[in-house]
Amino acid sequence: MIITIARQCGSGGHEIGKELASRLGLELYDRKRLEQEAKNIGKFDENRDFFEEKGLNSLLYSIAVSYGGEDNPMEKSFELIRELTQGKQAVIIGRCSGAIYEKDPDATTIFLHADKHCRIRRIMERDQISEKEAEKMIRKVDEKRASFHKNCTGKAWEDASQYDLSIDTGKIGISDAVNMITDYIRAKEKQI
């Protein structure tokens, strides 16, 4: 079982991922863990831009493709994520993991979002920062994630059609979101 979580900044994605992993007995692969695992096998440096969510230069991308380069220059990084999580029962947070596992019937892809005010409040409480700082952080992080996702997949990050579930954590909260995801997975398993 693989559960992937894409999330807006402040929507509670890490908390939900952590609770899902604990409740379902899965391993949690967040940025820190994926980076450490990549370092352990000597593949971090060649994938640094991917881990830091830096998109490719569009001119360089165009040149690579026109000279017979890969269809997706990020495919090597996608393959690394598959290698690091191969054979694992895991929750993977971010890093375009939904796109990486989109064709895997055992994967459940999730997108978490909430209204801006709810997310600002969560970030203020979590990081002990002002409302203005929280709003700036959310805008910056969301823009970076959207750009990175578009660059890696060619798809809009917030397009719900590419995920199995899209959940508004501002309306139902963290614990209820975890319940909803586990209920969805159980129902999905009955269909297989």
Side-chain angles (χ1 to χ4, degrees):
M1 173 188 308
I2 295 285
I3 301 170
T4 70
I5 297 177
R7 73 277 182 231
Q8 288 181 320
C9 181
S11 64
H14 203 271
E15 292 171 81
I16 289 169
K18 212 170 157 181
E19 190 170 327
L20 278 168
S22 175
R23 191 182 295 187
L24 299 173
L26 307 175
E27 294 186 54
L28 180 65
Y29 283 85
D30 57 7
R31 177 183 175 174
K32 288 179 184 177
R33 171 118 186 241
L34 289 166
E35 284 181 359
Q36 188 57 52
E37 300 263 341
K39 287 175 184 175
N40 291 346
I41 61 172
K43 293 187 178 182
F44 175 76
D45 289 334
E46 66 194 79
N47 292 282
R48 182 183 300 271
D49 286 348
F50 179 79
F51 285 112
E52 293 176 358
E53 293 182 329
K54 291 181 182 174
L56 297 172
N57 176 301
S58 59
L59 175 62
L60 294 177
Y61 174 81
S62 299
I63 292 169
V65 170
S66 68
Y67 283 100
E70 299 173 37
D71 290 338
N72 180 353
M74 289 297 195
E75 186 56 40
K76 286 183 182 170
S77 296
F78 283 13
E79 192 55 44
L80 174 61
I81 299 301
R82 286 185 204 100
E83 179 184 340
L84 296 175
T85 58
Q86 183 176 14
K88 303 280 176 39
Q89 303 281 310
V91 175
I92 307 169
I93 300 175
R95 313 276 97 59
C96 295
S97 55
I100 293 169
Y101 281 98
E102 70 183 335
K103 291 183 169 103
D104 185 331
D106 294 327
T108 300
T109 58
I110 313 293
F111 184 76
L112 304 173
H113 58 96
D115 77 44
K116 188 175 169 183
H117 298 293
C118 175
R119 295 186 298 127
I120 288 171
R121 196 172 52 252
R122 279 188 185 140
I123 295 296
M124 287 172 61
E125 290 172 14
R126 183 190 76 189
D127 296 350
Q128 299 297 301
I129 58 176
S130 72
E131 181 176 351
K132 187 176 181 180
E133 290 170 311
E135 186 172 6
K136 182 179 176 183
M137 175 191 286
I138 285 170
R139 185 175 52 254
K140 182 179 175 185
V141 170
D142 283 353
E143 285 173 3
K144 183 177 180 181
R145 287 177 181 166
S147 175
F148 178 71
H149 188 87
K150 179 77 168 176
N151 194 288
C152 290
T153 69
K155 298 176 182 175
W157 172 60
E158 294 175 311
D159 178 0
S161 69
Q162 64 188 309
Y163 305 99
D164 294 321
L165 282 176
S166 178
I167 302 172
D168 185 337
T169 61
K171 292 183 179 170
I172 67 169
I174 303 299
S175 190
D176 286 332
V178 171
N179 292 336
M180 180 183 258
I181 295 166
T182 56
D183 288 347
Y184 177 85
I185 291 168
R186 280 190 210 105
K188 184 177 158 185
E189 288 173 346
K190 288 179 185 177
Q191 300 299 315
I192 297 176

